[in-house]
């Protein structure tokens, strides 16, 4: 798959988070026959973030390729 950051969708206040982020879907939930639902790639700008939210029946994973991030898990 090809990942072109120039084609990322820009979103504001994701889950009521600060700032903007750009992202794209690389793999969708209908493309694999596994429990893996999707794979997104994106950029969260400095002082931006994804707001507090819950996943009650699945896990979510973030992989940082550059920079730093701060996460809160279970409070």
């Amino acid at each position: 798959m090809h990942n072109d950051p120039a084609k990322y969708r820009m979103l504001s206040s994701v889950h009521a988070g600060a700032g903007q982020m750009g992202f794209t879907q690389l793999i969708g939930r209908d493309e694999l026959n596994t429990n893996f639902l999707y794979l997104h790639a994106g950029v969260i700008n400095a002082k931006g973030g994804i707001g507090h939210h819950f996943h009650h029946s699945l896990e979510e994973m973030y992989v940082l390729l550059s920079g730093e991030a701060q996460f809160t898990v279970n409070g």
Side-chain angles (χ1 to χ4, degrees):
M1 71 195 73
H2 182 70
N3 180 22
D4 183 356
K7 295 181 180 177
Y8 285 0
R9 291 188 313 151
M10 293 304 295
L11 299 174
S12 297
S13 301
V14 176
H15 294 294
Q20 288 188 323
M21 69 175 285
F23 85 101
T24 192
Q25 180 171 288
L26 299 176
I27 297 173
R29 64 178 62 221
D30 297 326
E31 295 179 50
L32 301 173
N33 292 323
T34 67
N35 291 334
F36 189 87
L37 295 180
Y38 54 82
L39 175 64
H40 291 159
V43 174
I44 300 175
N45 296 321
K47 301 191 185 262
I50 298 172
H52 185 78
H53 64 286
F54 295 94
H55 293 280
H56 295 286
S57 60
L58 60 95
E59 295 181 19
E60 184 172 34
M61 176 175 44
Y62 292 86
V63 177
L64 294 142
L65 300 178
S66 67
E68 297 177 352
Q70 180 178 353
F71 291 85
T72 301
V73 178
N74 293 333

